[in-house]
Amino acid sequence: MTTQSRRVVVTGAAGFIGSHLCERLLALGHQVVGIDSFTDFYERARKEENLEDSRGHANFTFEELDLVDADLRPVLRGANVVYHLAGQPGVRPSWGEQFGRYVRDNVLATQRLLEALKDMPVERLVFAGSSSVYGDAEMFPTKESALPQPVSPYGVTKLAAEHLALLYTKNFGLPAVSVRYFTVYGPRQRPDMAFARFMEALVAGDAIEVFGDGEQTREFTYVSDAVEGTIKAATADVVGQVFNLGGGSRVTVNRVLATLEDISGIKARRKTLPAAPGDPRHTGASINLARERLGWEPRVSLREGLTKQWEWFQAARRRQGIAEAG
Ligand code: UGA
């Protein structure tokens, strides 16, 4: 891809996917402004580490601010493209008292960003959507045109935010696109997510907690594939559209565990817990639209991606061990 250097803004820049996106955009020659508020969903130190590479780059600037409270215009001024990845993640913790946080950081934050952008000459807003909007889909692979019926409060907030983005396109011509990520994994995966938890338990000799029978499936997507699709959504002629970004196949949690045992050479002990409320039984993406309209294709197989995450996880543990010993 030949790229023209752009001024781009990434919200959620210190997060798992956001930090990879920043690095890729910098490598492509863009001027990147990263925004993050370091919410306490997990430790700040890990997010600071996520940002380390980007912070060392001359074309990167960082703004610590909260999308709900801050005056966003100064930081958005002059932006060609805005990637909106900030939000409160995680399907299972979105019940009960936590829901307010999801509404604030997913719905209200998006609305504030959209209001700030609606009179600006931005060329594209790419919204980070979620496979969780589908809930228990009626058809697999699931097309973008399927009726969204989320089964978690989190999914409801991601769907609301996606709708908001697209109705700013309809009403004000803000050129928004949504990409629906399917369970992204790889180096820096959030510590609450399945693969990160499985690896921690494996090396600690703890039992791996499996929700339900482990026969649920996910269309796990490697982070560099998700990032490439996201960047393509910023330039293709697709304003107002929604795209599934899925890894290319559906895999059971049991199969993931068997592959991880194989890669790590460690036999997993398992503990079966009840299936978690809010978790869809299956997710599976039809990626034909992204193939056709974005010219995008996932490239990293589960085995390859899981190996990379395992290697990264071990290197991070070694660094931590050295830091603690020193
Ligand atoms: C993930 C992300 O956490 C969400 O933020 C994102 O929006 C969503 O993907 C998406 O596709 O949009 P989830 O699919 O629950 O949600 O991802 P994982 O936490 O990696 O869980 C994958 C599967 O493993 C689920 O079936 C879950 O029940 C299972 N799991 C997870 C376990 O059996 N044990 C665990 O300790 C964790």
Side-chain angles (χ1 to χ4, degrees), residues 89-92 129-132 154 158 180-184 189-190 192-195 197-198 208-212 216-218 220 253 276 279-281 283:
V91 178
R92 292 171 289 281
S130 163
S131 74
S132 64
Y154 165 79
K158 290 302 283 185
R180 291 177 177 167
Y181 298 133
F182 281 67
T183 315
V184 180
Q189 191 185 42
R190 290 198 330 264
D192 62 297
M193 291 184 73
F195 296 5
R197 299 195 74 211
F198 295 169
I208 286 178
E209 297 182 341
V210 177
F211 300 132
Q216 66 268 43
T217 57
R218 288 289 176 277
F220 296 105
V253 167
D279 267 352
R281 178 75 174 157
T283 68

Side-chain angles (χ1 to χ4, degrees), residues 14 188 194 206 222 230 278 307:
R188 304 183 198 149
D206 294 338
Y222 190 68
T230 305
T307 305

Side-chain angles (χ1 to χ4, degrees), residues 93-147:
S94 63
W95 302 97
E97 283 187 7
Q98 290 303 313
F99 185 61
R101 194 62 191 268
Y102 284 82
V103 173
R104 181 188 189 279
D105 289 350
N106 295 343
V107 184
L108 194 54
T110 301
Q111 187 265 356
R112 294 259 358 271
L113 179 68
L114 293 165
E115 280 294 320
L117 284 173
K118 82 178 199 296
D119 302 319
M120 289 189 175
V122 67
E123 290 154 31
R124 192 65 53 91
L125 168 73
V126 182
F127 172 74
S130 163
S131 74
S132 64
V133 303
Y134 293 116
D136 286 310
E138 281 159 20
M139 298 265 282
F140 296 100
T142 309
K143 289 188 184 163
E144 291 83 349
S145 55
L147 181 68

Side-chain angles (χ1 to χ4, degrees), residues 48-61:
E48 293 279 7
E49 242 177 69
N50 291 347
L51 275 179
E52 235 165 57
D53 277 14
S54 293
R55 280 205 202 260
H57 204 290
N59 288 343
F60 185 74
T61 51

